[in-house]
Amino acid sequence: KLCYIFPKRLSINVFVTDGALLICYRGSRVGGRIRPCSAPPRFARPCVLDDGLVPAIARPWILTANPRRPLTRSRQGQRRPPSAFPVVDGALQPAHLHVYQANLHNSGVCQQRYLKYQEQAMMGGGENATTRHTQRNKKLLVRDRLRMLLDDEDYLELSPFAGLDLDYGSIPSAGCLTGIGKINGLWCVFIANNATVKGGTAYPITVKKQLRAQDVAMQNRLPCVYLVDSGGAFLPLQSEIFPDKNHGGRTFYNEAIMSAMKIPQVAVVCGSCTAGGAYVPTMAEEAVIVHKIGTIFLGGPPLVKAATGEEVSPEDLGGARVHAEVSGCVDHFAPLERDAYEHARNIISTLNFELPADENEAVEEPLHSVEDLKGLAPRSYNHSLDVRMIVSRLTDGSRFQEFKARYGTTLVTGFGKIEGHLVGIVASNGELTYEASLKGSHFVQLCDQRDVPIIFLQNTAPKPAMTPSQHKAEAHSNRLKAQSSMMAAVACASTPRITVVIGGCHGADSYAMCGRSFDPNFLFLWPNARVSLVAPGCSDALVEEEHDVTHLKKKLEEESSAFFSSARLWDDGVILPQDTRKVLNKCLKIIKQQEYQLSKERLRAPLLRM
C-alpha cells in the first residue's frame, strides 16, 4: 500500500517497490529497464494508498499492477496495462426485428449495386483496350504489376469507384489505382496509372485521386511508389486540370515537399511518361525504367515531327538506354517489367525503418457476428437502432468502456480495442444536442491528451432542427455554441482520426463528427450512406413551390447516394459493413507505422537530381 512520488524534474527509469506497484516518471518509456530496489530513494516522498487507490497527484506517473492480471505485452513488444472493459449488450431484441429486416433488405440491394460498380471498375478500359495493352504493347495489366510489387494482395485500395458516371463520361477508377500495400513488410502508398483507360490520359478526376493519395502518404508518413504509364492531360478539359492550386502541378509540389519531410518517393517507368507525366520520375528520389517499354519525354515523336520534320523513334527520343546511360534521369535499368518491380522492392528495403517483430498475438473476436451489421446499417434515419449494437460488433470481445454514459445520450463515446489497437469511439445515436456536443468535445480532447486514435461512426440528423418558439431558439443557440466547441476540438486534435459514415452525413452535425472538410486520416462510407446538406424528403421547409419540392427531392435522392459521392472522391471508398472491422484494423496499422521511421526529425531540402 506504500508508494513513492518522484519530483517532476527527475529523469528516471521504471522503479519497483514491493512488486505491487510500478512507478514511472512521465516521459520514460513503459517497458524500459526495471530495477528492483530494497529501500526508497532519498528524493522520493512516501504516499499511503487507501485500498489500493492511487492519489490524484500520483496518477500521471503510477501504474497499478494487479497480481491477478499481470501486465500484458502489446504487439510492439512494449508492456502496457491490461484492459478489462465491460461487455456491451449488443443482442438483437424481438422488438428490433422488423427494423432489422428492413435494413437487411436495403443492404442487399446496396450490395448488389456495390458489386456492379466493382465489376465495372475491375474491367478498366474494356476488352479491346486490355488486348491492345497486353498483346500489341507487351505490357502487364496494372493489377498484375501490383501483384509483382506488393508482398500480397491484401492491400487497402482507395476510392475504387472514383470516376464512374461523371458529366464528361465514365473513367473507371479515375484511370489509376491508388492504395496502401506492404512492400518488404513496409506499408507504402502506390499510385499506378491504368493505361487501358483512355490510354492513361489524365482527367480532372485522375488528378484529384492522385492528390488524395499523396495527402494520405503525407498525413501518415508513408513512402510513395509511382507506377507511371501516362499519356499526359486530356486537353479538352485543360482548364480543370492545369491552372489552379490543387490541379496537376500540385503532384510535383507534393513530391518535393514529401521528400523534404523524409517521406521516400520512388518511381517505376513502365510505360509512356509524356508531358506532365515526365516530371513524376524525374522528381522522385530513385527511379527505375523498363527497357523498350518505358519512355520519358515532354513531347513525343509526333510533336517532334510536327515541329522539326524529323522522324525519331520513342526509344531514341527518350527510351530506357537514353535516360539510364546519357541523361541520368533514372537510376536503375530493368530489361523486363518483373525486374523493375524487384528493383523497386530492393529500394524500399533500403529505407530507414525499424519494424517490430511480427507477433501473432491472439485477439478476441466480437461476441456477435459482423454479418449482423448488414441489418444494423440504417436504410433511413428512422430505421437507426442503438449504435452500441454496431460498436459491439466492431470491438474485441464486444468490450467497450463507455464515457459519460448517462449524459448527452444521443452521442456514445468511450474506449475499446480493434484487433488489439486501443481506440476512442465517437458514435452518433441521435441528434447532436447541446449536452452531446459538450460530451463529444470533452472526449475528443481526452483522446488527444492520451494520443489515442479516434473512430467516428457518423449518422447525423437528416435536417436542421426547426425553431417554433423563443424557448427553442435559446436552446438552439446553446447547441450552436456547444457544437462550435466540438468542431474546434475535432479540428485541433492531433491524434489520428478515422470516420465511417454508417447512415446519414447531413448538415453542420457532420462537421463536428469529423466530416471530409475536417481532414480525417481516412473516411469511408457504407453502401447505404447518404451525403447531402439535407436528406431526401426533408427539403419541404426549404422551398415553397410543389414543383420545386419534387425536383429537389429527386435531385437529392440521386446526388446523396454513397456511390455518387465516391465517384467524385468525397471519401476514400465505399466499404461493406461486414468488412468494417478488417478495414479499420488495416488503417490503424498503417497509421502506427510512422513511429518506426528512424530518420524523421530534421527538415531538409528535397533531394535534387543531377
Side-chain angles (χ1 to χ4, degrees):
K1 302 294 183 180
L2 186 65
C3 72
Y4 301 94
I5 299 175
F6 293 86
K8 292 183 182 179
R9 66 181 182 276
L10 188 66
S11 178
I12 63 167
N13 286 325
V14 181
F15 176 77
V16 179
T17 63
D18 56 3
L21 288 175
L22 290 178
I23 302 180
C24 177
Y25 176 68
R26 177 191 293 180
S28 66
R29 200 163 54 120
V30 178
R33 188 163 58 91
I34 297 176
R35 299 183 289 107
C37 188
S38 57
R42 56 183 175 79
F43 42 73
R45 60 185 177 86
C47 176
V48 179
L49 302 183
D50 182 19
D51 294 330
L53 298 177
V54 182
I57 190 173
R59 280 180 193 141
W61 301 281
I62 298 180
L63 300 171
T64 59
N66 187 338
R68 291 171 297 180
R69 190 182 296 109
L71 286 172
T72 57
R73 190 168 294 276
S74 71
R75 303 175 174 273
Q76 286 73 41
Q78 297 177 336
R79 293 162 66 85
R80 79 168 28 171
S83 61
F85 300 152
V87 175
V88 181
D89 181 14
L92 194 64
Q93 304 299 327
H96 302 149
L97 283 178
H98 68 290
V99 177
Y100 181 87
Q101 292 295 337
N103 289 341
L104 188 62
H105 178 266
N106 183 65
S107 290
V109 173
C110 291
Q111 185 163 332
Q112 289 301 315
R113 194 174 177 191
Y114 174 93
L115 294 174
K116 171 193 165 188
Y117 278 111
Q118 186 180 54
E119 183 181 1
Q120 192 173 344
M122 293 287 287
M123 286 179 64
E127 188 176 344
N128 291 338
T130 299
T131 302
R132 183 168 58 250
H133 182 83
T134 55
Q135 295 184 9
R136 193 180 79 181
N137 298 335
K138 308 297 182 184
K139 296 179 185 178
L140 294 174
L141 295 175
V142 65
R143 294 188 186 274
D144 294 330
R145 288 170 171 170
L146 291 177
R147 288 188 188 97
M148 290 186 173
L149 176 69
L150 304 177
D151 293 350
D152 51 48
E153 295 187 48
D154 188 27
Y155 55 82
L156 179 65
E157 186 174 351
L158 300 176
S159 305
F161 301 155
L164 296 177
D165 300 330
L166 299 181
D167 295 338
Y168 47 80
S170 273
I171 317 295
S173 294
C176 67
L177 264 64
T178 63
I180 307 167
K182 278 191 173 183
I183 303 176
N184 287 337
L186 194 69
W187 290 104
C188 300
V189 167
F190 59 81
I191 302 174
N193 295 112
N194 187 353
T196 68
V197 179
K198 312 292 183 182
T201 303
Y203 284 74
I205 194 67
T206 312
V207 173
K208 188 175 182 181
K209 186 172 180 178
Q210 291 174 345
L211 291 178
R212 172 56 190 159
Q214 289 183 318
D215 285 343
V216 169
M218 207 177 302
Q219 197 170 17
N220 300 290
R221 297 193 61 87
L222 299 171
C224 259
V225 179
Y226 305 86
L227 305 186
V228 194
D229 190 356
S230 170
F234 183 62
L235 289 179
L237 295 176
Q238 64 84 28
S239 63
E240 300 175 46
I241 298 174
F242 172 71
D244 205 358
K245 175 183 176 181
N246 286 322
H247 283 172
R250 193 73 177 185
T251 305
F252 318 129
Y253 172 85
N254 286 343
E255 273 195 81
I257 291 298
M258 282 193 280
S259 184
M261 293 170 63
K262 295 195 172 183
I263 300 174
Q265 308 291 297
V266 179
V268 179
V269 182
C270 47
S272 176
C273 287
T274 307
Y279 291 104
V280 174
T282 52
M283 293 193 69
E285 294 170 7
E286 287 194 62
V288 186
I289 192 167
V290 183
H291 185 44
K292 295 185 178 178
I293 291 179
T295 55
I296 304 174
F297 33 60
L298 289 176
L303 193 60
V304 172
K305 184 175 181 180
T308 66
E310 182 183 357
E311 292 189 4
V312 61
S313 70
E315 187 67 23
D316 292 336
L317 183 63
R321 288 191 181 280
V322 170
H323 291 302
E325 300 172 4
V326 180
S327 73
C329 282
V330 299
D331 310 292
H332 305 277
F333 177 93
L336 301 171
E337 271 206 73
R338 64 172 177 269
D339 299 322
Y341 306 120
E342 193 61 36
H343 276 301
R345 290 178 59 82
N346 292 338
I347 292 169
I348 296 298
S349 67
T350 67
L351 304 183
N352 203 7
F353 282 78
E354 187 174 332
L355 299 177
D358 288 333
E359 294 184 14
N360 296 323
E361 181 183 342
V363 295
E364 287 185 277
E365 291 297 320
L367 299 181
H368 308 281
S369 172
V370 293
E371 295 294 326
D372 294 346
L373 291 171
K374 291 187 285 187
L376 298 174
R379 62 177 293 181
S380 68
Y381 189 73
N382 295 330
H383 285 72
S384 302
L385 295 172
D386 192 327
V387 76
R388 294 175 186 84
M389 299 173 72
I390 293 177
V391 171
S392 69
R393 286 156 176 82
L394 295 178
T395 57
D396 295 355
S398 298
R399 296 180 182 275
F400 182 60
Q401 174 67 33
E402 193 163 352
F403 176 77
K404 286 187 184 290
R406 294 176 177 268
Y407 182 80
T409 54
T410 56
L411 187 72
V412 173
T413 58
F415 295 99
K417 287 189 175 182
I418 296 177
E419 296 282 349
H421 301 280
L422 178 66
V423 295
I425 295 176
V426 180
S428 302
N429 205 32
E431 289 189 17
L432 196 60
T433 61
Y434 167 76
E435 294 83 3
S437 300
L438 290 180
K439 170 181 172 178
S441 177
H442 185 174
F443 184 72
V444 167
Q445 292 176 74
L446 188 64
C447 290
D448 193 37
Q449 179 79 5
R450 299 176 183 175
D451 290 326
V452 176
I454 308 174
I455 309 293
F456 290 88
L457 302 179
Q458 187 179 138
N459 182 21
T460 56
K463 60 181 178 180
M466 297 293 104
T467 311
S469 65
Q470 184 176 351
H471 174 71
K472 279 288 185 183
E474 292 173 356
H476 291 167
S477 296
N478 288 334
R479 180 196 289 196
L480 179 63
K481 289 189 291 184
Q483 285 186 351
S484 299
S485 173
M486 185 174 174
M487 285 185 200
V490 172
C492 297
S494 58
T495 192
R497 295 155 297 159
I498 304 171
T499 303
V500 182
V501 181
I502 61 174
C505 174
H506 306 297
D509 289 10
S510 69
Y511 303 144
M513 290 297 292
C514 201
R516 184 62 146 181
S517 53
F518 276 65
D519 206 18
N521 291 58
F522 297 97
L523 187 148
F524 301 102
L525 306 180
W526 282 2
N528 59 291
R530 293 280 178 183
V531 182
S532 57
L533 187 60
V534 295
C538 297
S539 58
D540 301 12
L542 305 178
V543 290
E544 297 180 359
E545 298 293 333
E546 183 67 28
H547 171 73
D548 293 339
V549 171
T550 305
H551 174 71
L552 187 56
K553 181 180 179 181
K554 182 179 178 182
K555 188 177 180 65
L556 286 171
E557 190 73 37
E558 176 188 349
E559 294 184 355
S560 65
S561 158
F563 301 101
F564 186 93
S565 166
S566 202
R568 286 151 184 79
L569 275 165
W570 299 343
D571 52 73
D572 292 318
V574 178
I575 61 173
L576 296 175
Q578 61 268 32
D579 294 335
T580 305
R581 178 175 158 88
K582 182 172 67 175
V583 170
L584 289 176
N585 176 40
K586 280 184 187 173
C587 292
L588 292 166
K589 286 181 178 178
I590 289 164
I591 289 168
K592 198 167 185 65
Q593 179 176 276
Q594 60 188 291
E595 298 176 9
Y596 311 136
Q597 186 174 0
L598 299 182
S599 56
K600 61 180 179 181
E601 297 301 324
R602 292 169 295 171
L603 183 64
R604 290 183 174 181
L607 181 69
L608 295 180
R609 304 189 62 84
M610 58 181 183

